[in-house]
Amino acid sequence: MPGNGNSLTRLRIVITVFFALDGFVFAGWVVRIPAIKEQTGASASALGLALLGVSAGAVVTMVLTGRLCRRYGNHRVTVACAVLLSLSVALPPLTHSALALGLVLLVFGAAYGGINVAFNSAAVDLVAAMRRPIMPGFHAAFSLGGMVGAGLGALVAGSLSPTRHLLLLTAVGLLVTAVAGPTLLRQKPPVPPELERPAEGATPRRLDGRTRGLVLVFGLIAGCTAYGEGALADWGALHLEEDLGASPGAAAIGYSCFALAMTVGRLTGTTLLERLGRTRTVVAGGATAAAGMLLGSLAPALWAALLGYAVTGIGLANLFPVAVERAGALAGPSGVATASTLGYGGMLLGPPAIGFMADWFSLPTALTSVAILAAVAATIGFATRGAAAR
């Protein structure tokens, strides 16, 4: 294995920094969406269409980034996408129409999707080299970066214009990339001696049908998990306010409980995986999330719903990292790209699906779909335990 323990530790720190940077920049953009809407004069429907630019750019780029990683290496693509992400986040405040906003968000979404595939692929290499299930720690860094970015955005929203705030994010992103990027570029991705890595630019080994099927299975688990994240982000507070009579401030605490619990779950994820293994972690996490979301969506009292949100966050915390890591271990960057694309698709599907079901039935009933899909993820994990182990 190239390098020693110290070089692997440095590599782990640098990759963690890029995960945190991604969460920080993305959250900083999200908290300024209301101000950008006012600046562009977009209606709610026009803004919704413009925001699809992020999704479209991300999904298309995720599919392509696997090929770029095989040709140029995970580390180079990570640094290049970090630069593009940092630069593109400053573009939305410069637009004055929904159409222009949607076009620049295509670029931002492309950078966001690309860096997610690239640094997850780099993390998969490091997990294999260190022989420890450290993937949840990287995703915990993303969550912590998002919490810091959102908190900073809330603090400066009253004193800084969106243009200055997002330019500040650009400066921070470029500075972090300038400091951490050279370390990442100097080191080749570590590979355990028993694994053979094809040369950069070489044609990858064709995967058999069983392997492709397993990659899709792990992608489905990622999608089920991300569905819940997207649904709670967009509809969790509204449920507390409209169905349980919570004040706006109390309702806002709901997603904070979920996000904080998910972060704690990921920080302890390595220990959990070492004790339980991947299959039992997925099964237990899915079952826990299903029980938590049933409580969160159907409880008649605010405190019980908040408890349910927190339990859901703990349950879902490690499903996505495990799914992406296993897909990457099976199929390299292409596996990461597939699992990430399906996962991101689940996050996109969640909010509109909840909205339609809320119109047809009720919002509490619609939110039980999060519990159903968490149970599906647990069931898939249990049903494929033998194949995944082999």
PDB file of all heavy atoms in Angstrom, residues 224-254:
ATOM      1  N   CYS A 224     -33.899   5.413  -0.703  1.00  0.00           N
ATOM      2  CA  CYS A 224     -34.885   5.362   0.383  1.00  0.00           C
ATOM      3  C   CYS A 224     -34.482   6.281   1.528  1.00  0.00           C
ATOM      4  O   CYS A 224     -35.325   6.952   2.145  1.00  0.00           O
ATOM      5  CB  CYS A 224     -35.033   3.925   0.890  1.00  0.00           C
ATOM      6  SG  CYS A 224     -35.839   2.789  -0.259  1.00  0.00           S
ATOM      7  N   THR A 225     -33.187   6.317   1.808  1.00  0.00           N
ATOM      8  CA  THR A 225     -32.691   7.183   2.887  1.00  0.00           C
ATOM      9  C   THR A 225     -32.835   8.650   2.518  1.00  0.00           C
ATOM     10  O   THR A 225     -33.329   9.462   3.323  1.00  0.00           O
ATOM     11  CB  THR A 225     -31.207   6.862   3.152  1.00  0.00           C
ATOM     12  OG1 THR A 225     -31.065   5.483   3.442  1.00  0.00           O
ATOM     13  CG2 THR A 225     -30.690   7.685   4.312  1.00  0.00           C
ATOM     14  N   ALA A 226     -32.390   9.011   1.325  1.00  0.00           N
ATOM     15  CA  ALA A 226     -32.429  10.412   0.915  1.00  0.00           C
ATOM     16  C   ALA A 226     -33.859  10.919   0.757  1.00  0.00           C
ATOM     17  O   ALA A 226     -34.127  12.111   0.943  1.00  0.00           O
ATOM     18  CB  ALA A 226     -31.658  10.593  -0.394  1.00  0.00           C
ATOM     19  N   TYR A 227     -34.780  10.036   0.400  1.00  0.00           N
ATOM     20  CA  TYR A 227     -36.200  10.405   0.335  1.00  0.00           C
ATOM     21  C   TYR A 227     -36.642  10.980   1.683  1.00  0.00           C
ATOM     22  O   TYR A 227     -37.310  12.020   1.753  1.00  0.00           O
ATOM     23  CB  TYR A 227     -37.021   9.172  -0.017  1.00  0.00           C
ATOM     24  CG  TYR A 227     -38.529   9.377  -0.034  1.00  0.00           C
ATOM     25  CD1 TYR A 227     -39.194   9.635  -1.235  1.00  0.00           C
ATOM     26  CD2 TYR A 227     -39.280   9.277   1.129  1.00  0.00           C
ATOM     27  CE1 TYR A 227     -40.570   9.805  -1.254  1.00  0.00           C
ATOM     28  CE2 TYR A 227     -40.655   9.453   1.115  1.00  0.00           C
ATOM     29  CZ  TYR A 227     -41.297   9.709  -0.080  1.00  0.00           C
ATOM     30  OH  TYR A 227     -42.667   9.884  -0.094  1.00  0.00           O
ATOM     31  N   GLY A 228     -36.263  10.295   2.758  1.00  0.00           N
ATOM     32  CA  GLY A 228     -36.634  10.778   4.089  1.00  0.00           C
ATOM     33  C   GLY A 228     -35.987  12.104   4.429  1.00  0.00           C
ATOM     34  O   GLY A 228     -36.624  12.988   5.015  1.00  0.00           O
ATOM     35  N   GLU A 229     -34.729  12.279   4.054  1.00  0.00           N
ATOM     36  CA  GLU A 229     -34.049  13.551   4.325  1.00  0.00           C
ATOM     37  C   GLU A 229     -34.747  14.699   3.609  1.00  0.00           C
ATOM     38  O   GLU A 229     -35.003  15.762   4.204  1.00  0.00           O
ATOM     39  CB  GLU A 229     -32.584  13.463   3.888  1.00  0.00           C
ATOM     40  CG  GLU A 229     -31.731  12.527   4.704  1.00  0.00           C
ATOM     41  CD  GLU A 229     -30.271  12.610   4.306  1.00  0.00           C
ATOM     42  OE1 GLU A 229     -29.728  13.734   4.274  1.00  0.00           O
ATOM     43  OE2 GLU A 229     -29.673  11.563   4.010  1.00  0.00           O
ATOM     44  N   GLY A 230     -35.046  14.506   2.327  1.00  0.00           N
ATOM     45  CA  GLY A 230     -35.714  15.568   1.578  1.00  0.00           C
ATOM     46  C   GLY A 230     -37.108  15.863   2.093  1.00  0.00           C
ATOM     47  O   GLY A 230     -37.520  17.022   2.187  1.00  0.00           O
ATOM     48  N   ALA A 231     -37.846  14.820   2.456  1.00  0.00           N
ATOM     49  CA  ALA A 231     -39.206  15.012   2.947  1.00  0.00           C
ATOM     50  C   ALA A 231     -39.234  15.781   4.251  1.00  0.00           C
ATOM     51  O   ALA A 231     -40.032  16.717   4.429  1.00  0.00           O
ATOM     52  CB  ALA A 231     -39.881  13.648   3.121  1.00  0.00           C
ATOM     53  N   LEU A 232     -38.349  15.441   5.181  1.00  0.00           N
ATOM     54  CA  LEU A 232     -38.338  16.131   6.470  1.00  0.00           C
ATOM     55  C   LEU A 232     -37.827  17.560   6.342  1.00  0.00           C
ATOM     56  O   LEU A 232     -38.291  18.459   7.047  1.00  0.00           O
ATOM     57  CB  LEU A 232     -37.490  15.352   7.468  1.00  0.00           C
ATOM     58  CG  LEU A 232     -38.217  14.197   8.144  1.00  0.00           C
ATOM     59  CD1 LEU A 232     -37.243  13.324   8.932  1.00  0.00           C
ATOM     60  CD2 LEU A 232     -39.301  14.713   9.068  1.00  0.00           C
ATOM     61  N   ALA A 233     -36.881  17.774   5.440  1.00  0.00           N
ATOM     62  CA  ALA A 233     -36.365  19.129   5.251  1.00  0.00           C
ATOM     63  C   ALA A 233     -37.459  20.077   4.771  1.00  0.00           C
ATOM     64  O   ALA A 233     -37.542  21.231   5.213  1.00  0.00           O
ATOM     65  CB  ALA A 233     -35.201  19.111   4.256  1.00  0.00           C
ATOM     66  N   ASP A 234     -38.323  19.604   3.876  1.00  0.00           N
ATOM     67  CA  ASP A 234     -39.320  20.486   3.262  1.00  0.00           C
ATOM     68  C   ASP A 234     -40.674  20.473   3.970  1.00  0.00           C
ATOM     69  O   ASP A 234     -41.410  21.464   3.919  1.00  0.00           O
ATOM     70  CB  ASP A 234     -39.518  20.092   1.797  1.00  0.00           C
ATOM     71  CG  ASP A 234     -38.374  20.555   0.911  1.00  0.00           C
ATOM     72  OD1 ASP A 234     -37.296  20.840   1.452  1.00  0.00           O
ATOM     73  OD2 ASP A 234     -38.551  20.628  -0.314  1.00  0.00           O
ATOM     74  N   TRP A 235     -41.016  19.359   4.611  1.00  0.00           N
ATOM     75  CA  TRP A 235     -42.368  19.216   5.147  1.00  0.00           C
ATOM     76  C   TRP A 235     -42.420  19.011   6.661  1.00  0.00           C
ATOM     77  O   TRP A 235     -43.507  19.094   7.257  1.00  0.00           O
ATOM     78  CB  TRP A 235     -43.071  18.027   4.473  1.00  0.00           C
ATOM     79  CG  TRP A 235     -43.328  18.243   3.029  1.00  0.00           C
ATOM     80  CD1 TRP A 235     -42.585  17.765   1.987  1.00  0.00           C
ATOM     81  CD2 TRP A 235     -44.388  18.994   2.438  1.00  0.00           C
ATOM     82  NE1 TRP A 235     -43.111  18.166   0.791  1.00  0.00           N
ATOM     83  CE2 TRP A 235     -44.229  18.925   1.034  1.00  0.00           C
ATOM     84  CE3 TRP A 235     -45.470  19.707   2.959  1.00  0.00           C
ATOM     85  CZ2 TRP A 235     -45.102  19.543   0.149  1.00  0.00           C
ATOM     86  CZ3 TRP A 235     -46.343  20.317   2.077  1.00  0.00           C
ATOM     87  CH2 TRP A 235     -46.152  20.240   0.697  1.00  0.00           C
ATOM     88  N   GLY A 236     -41.282  18.729   7.284  1.00  0.00           N
ATOM     89  CA  GLY A 236     -41.293  18.436   8.715  1.00  0.00           C
ATOM     90  C   GLY A 236     -41.821  19.579   9.558  1.00  0.00           C
ATOM     91  O   GLY A 236     -42.690  19.398  10.431  1.00  0.00           O
ATOM     92  N   ALA A 237     -41.324  20.786   9.320  1.00  0.00           N
ATOM     93  CA  ALA A 237     -41.762  21.942  10.111  1.00  0.00           C
ATOM     94  C   ALA A 237     -43.231  22.266   9.841  1.00  0.00           C
ATOM     95  O   ALA A 237     -43.981  22.617  10.766  1.00  0.00           O
ATOM     96  CB  ALA A 237     -40.882  23.148   9.788  1.00  0.00           C
ATOM     97  N   LEU A 238     -43.653  22.133   8.587  1.00  0.00           N
ATOM     98  CA  LEU A 238     -45.046  22.428   8.250  1.00  0.00           C
ATOM     99  C   LEU A 238     -46.000  21.483   8.978  1.00  0.00           C
ATOM    100  O   LEU A 238     -47.068  21.899   9.450  1.00  0.00           O
ATOM    101  CB  LEU A 238     -45.236  22.306   6.737  1.00  0.00           C
ATOM    102  CG  LEU A 238     -46.586  22.800   6.192  1.00  0.00           C
ATOM    103  CD1 LEU A 238     -46.734  24.297   6.413  1.00  0.00           C
ATOM    104  CD2 LEU A 238     -46.699  22.469   4.702  1.00  0.00           C
ATOM    105  N   HIS A 239     -45.633  20.224   9.106  1.00  0.00           N
ATOM    106  CA  HIS A 239     -46.469  19.268   9.837  1.00  0.00           C
ATOM    107  C   HIS A 239     -46.625  19.686  11.296  1.00  0.00           C
ATOM    108  O   HIS A 239     -47.732  19.661  11.857  1.00  0.00           O
ATOM    109  CB  HIS A 239     -45.840  17.873   9.749  1.00  0.00           C
ATOM    110  CG  HIS A 239     -46.378  16.896  10.740  1.00  0.00           C
ATOM    111  ND1 HIS A 239     -47.718  16.566  10.820  1.00  0.00           N
ATOM    112  CD2 HIS A 239     -45.755  16.177  11.725  1.00  0.00           C
ATOM    113  CE1 HIS A 239     -47.901  15.679  11.797  1.00  0.00           C
ATOM    114  NE2 HIS A 239     -46.725  15.442  12.352  1.00  0.00           N
ATOM    115  N   LEU A 240     -45.526  20.088  11.921  1.00  0.00           N
ATOM    116  CA  LEU A 240     -45.593  20.481  13.324  1.00  0.00           C
ATOM    117  C   LEU A 240     -46.452  21.729  13.508  1.00  0.00           C
ATOM    118  O   LEU A 240     -47.198  21.846  14.495  1.00  0.00           O
ATOM    119  CB  LEU A 240     -44.176  20.738  13.864  1.00  0.00           C
ATOM    120  CG  LEU A 240     -43.206  19.553  13.835  1.00  0.00           C
ATOM    121  CD1 LEU A 240     -41.861  19.959  14.404  1.00  0.00           C
ATOM    122  CD2 LEU A 240     -43.765  18.363  14.605  1.00  0.00           C
ATOM    123  N   GLU A 241     -46.353  22.653  12.553  1.00  0.00           N
ATOM    124  CA  GLU A 241     -47.071  23.917  12.691  1.00  0.00           C
ATOM    125  C   GLU A 241     -48.559  23.764  12.368  1.00  0.00           C
ATOM    126  O   GLU A 241     -49.421  24.239  13.123  1.00  0.00           O
ATOM    127  CB  GLU A 241     -46.434  24.964  11.770  1.00  0.00           C
ATOM    128  CG  GLU A 241     -46.947  26.384  11.997  1.00  0.00           C
ATOM    129  CD  GLU A 241     -46.119  27.413  11.242  1.00  0.00           C
ATOM    130  OE1 GLU A 241     -44.999  27.084  10.801  1.00  0.00           O
ATOM    131  OE2 GLU A 241     -46.603  28.552  11.082  1.00  0.00           O
ATOM    132  N   GLU A 242     -48.875  23.081  11.275  1.00  0.00           N
ATOM    133  CA  GLU A 242     -50.271  23.005  10.839  1.00  0.00           C
ATOM    134  C   GLU A 242     -51.066  21.916  11.550  1.00  0.00           C
ATOM    135  O   GLU A 242     -52.241  22.097  11.867  1.00  0.00           O
ATOM    136  CB  GLU A 242     -50.330  22.778   9.329  1.00  0.00           C
ATOM    137  CG  GLU A 242     -49.864  23.972   8.507  1.00  0.00           C
ATOM    138  CD  GLU A 242     -50.179  23.798   7.030  1.00  0.00           C
ATOM    139  OE1 GLU A 242     -50.576  22.682   6.630  1.00  0.00           O
ATOM    140  OE2 GLU A 242     -50.020  24.785   6.280  1.00  0.00           O
ATOM    141  N   ASP A 243     -50.437  20.774  11.794  1.00  0.00           N
ATOM    142  CA  ASP A 243     -51.175  19.636  12.350  1.00  0.00           C
ATOM    143  C   ASP A 243     -51.107  19.561  13.869  1.00  0.00           C
ATOM    144  O   ASP A 243     -52.006  19.002  14.495  1.00  0.00           O
ATOM    145  CB  ASP A 243     -50.642  18.325  11.751  1.00  0.00           C
ATOM    146  CG  ASP A 243     -50.827  18.269  10.245  1.00  0.00           C
ATOM    147  OD1 ASP A 243     -51.933  18.587   9.772  1.00  0.00           O
ATOM    148  OD2 ASP A 243     -49.865  17.928   9.535  1.00  0.00           O
ATOM    149  N   LEU A 244     -50.031  20.097  14.461  1.00  0.00           N
ATOM    150  CA  LEU A 244     -49.884  20.021  15.913  1.00  0.00           C
ATOM    151  C   LEU A 244     -49.959  21.385  16.578  1.00  0.00           C
ATOM    152  O   LEU A 244     -49.801  21.493  17.798  1.00  0.00           O
ATOM    153  CB  LEU A 244     -48.559  19.328  16.273  1.00  0.00           C
ATOM    154  CG  LEU A 244     -48.414  17.879  15.784  1.00  0.00           C
ATOM    155  CD1 LEU A 244     -47.080  17.296  16.217  1.00  0.00           C
ATOM    156  CD2 LEU A 244     -49.562  17.019  16.295  1.00  0.00           C
ATOM    157  N   GLY A 245     -50.162  22.446  15.805  1.00  0.00           N
ATOM    158  CA  GLY A 245     -50.343  23.771  16.371  1.00  0.00           C
ATOM    159  C   GLY A 245     -49.094  24.385  16.974  1.00  0.00           C
ATOM    160  O   GLY A 245     -49.184  25.254  17.837  1.00  0.00           O
ATOM    161  N   ALA A 246     -47.919  23.967  16.518  1.00  0.00           N
ATOM    162  CA  ALA A 246     -46.673  24.520  17.050  1.00  0.00           C
ATOM    163  C   ALA A 246     -46.451  25.925  16.513  1.00  0.00           C
ATOM    164  O   ALA A 246     -46.902  26.274  15.419  1.00  0.00           O
ATOM    165  CB  ALA A 246     -45.492  23.632  16.672  1.00  0.00           C
ATOM    166  N   SER A 247     -45.747  26.749  17.299  1.00  0.00           N
ATOM    167  CA  SER A 247     -45.363  28.070  16.831  1.00  0.00           C
ATOM    168  C   SER A 247     -44.303  27.930  15.753  1.00  0.00           C
ATOM    169  O   SER A 247     -43.647  26.877  15.650  1.00  0.00           O
ATOM    170  CB  SER A 247     -44.803  28.896  17.986  1.00  0.00           C
ATOM    171  OG  SER A 247     -43.583  28.335  18.450  1.00  0.00           O
ATOM    172  N   PRO A 248     -44.093  28.961  14.922  1.00  0.00           N
ATOM    173  CA  PRO A 248     -43.051  28.856  13.889  1.00  0.00           C
ATOM    174  C   PRO A 248     -41.675  28.520  14.465  1.00  0.00           C
ATOM    175  O   PRO A 248     -40.928  27.743  13.870  1.00  0.00           O
ATOM    176  CB  PRO A 248     -43.070  30.243  13.237  1.00  0.00           C
ATOM    177  CG  PRO A 248     -44.479  30.721  13.432  1.00  0.00           C
ATOM    178  CD  PRO A 248     -44.888  30.203  14.780  1.00  0.00           C
ATOM    179  N   GLY A 249     -41.351  29.104  15.611  1.00  0.00           N
ATOM    180  CA  GLY A 249     -40.051  28.816  16.227  1.00  0.00           C
ATOM    181  C   GLY A 249     -39.942  27.374  16.672  1.00  0.00           C
ATOM    182  O   GLY A 249     -38.928  26.710  16.445  1.00  0.00           O
ATOM    183  N   ALA A 250     -41.006  26.862  17.303  1.00  0.00           N
ATOM    184  CA  ALA A 250     -40.990  25.467  17.753  1.00  0.00           C
ATOM    185  C   ALA A 250     -40.974  24.516  16.567  1.00  0.00           C
ATOM    186  O   ALA A 250     -40.323  23.465  16.599  1.00  0.00           O
ATOM    187  CB  ALA A 250     -42.205  25.191  18.642  1.00  0.00           C
ATOM    188  N   ALA A 251     -41.699  24.883  15.512  1.00  0.00           N
ATOM    189  CA  ALA A 251     -41.723  24.028  14.322  1.00  0.00           C
ATOM    190  C   ALA A 251     -40.340  23.945  13.688  1.00  0.00           C
ATOM    191  O   ALA A 251     -39.939  22.887  13.173  1.00  0.00           O
ATOM    192  CB  ALA A 251     -42.735  24.567  13.317  1.00  0.00           C
ATOM    193  N   ALA A 252     -39.603  25.059  13.707  1.00  0.00           N
ATOM    194  CA  ALA A 252     -38.258  25.060  13.122  1.00  0.00           C
ATOM    195  C   ALA A 252     -37.311  24.136  13.871  1.00  0.00           C
ATOM    196  O   ALA A 252     -36.339  23.624  13.310  1.00  0.00           O
ATOM    197  CB  ALA A 252     -37.696  26.481  13.104  1.00  0.00           C
ATOM    198  N   ILE A 253     -37.598  23.904  15.161  1.00  0.00           N
ATOM    199  CA  ILE A 253     -36.747  23.023  15.952  1.00  0.00           C
ATOM    200  C   ILE A 253     -36.830  21.587  15.445  1.00  0.00           C
ATOM    201  O   ILE A 253     -35.901  20.800  15.613  1.00  0.00           O
ATOM    202  CB  ILE A 253     -37.157  23.099  17.444  1.00  0.00           C
ATOM    203  CG1 ILE A 253     -36.848  24.490  17.985  1.00  0.00           C
ATOM    204  CG2 ILE A 253     -36.449  22.042  18.277  1.00  0.00           C
ATOM    205  CD1 ILE A 253     -37.323  24.709  19.409  1.00  0.00           C
ATOM    206  N   GLY A 254     -37.953  21.248  14.792  1.00  0.00           N
ATOM    207  CA  GLY A 254     -38.148  19.881  14.342  1.00  0.00           C
ATOM    208  C   GLY A 254     -37.031  19.391  13.449  1.00  0.00           C
ATOM    209  O   GLY A 254     -36.436  18.332  13.690  1.00  0.00           O
TER     210      GLY A 254
END
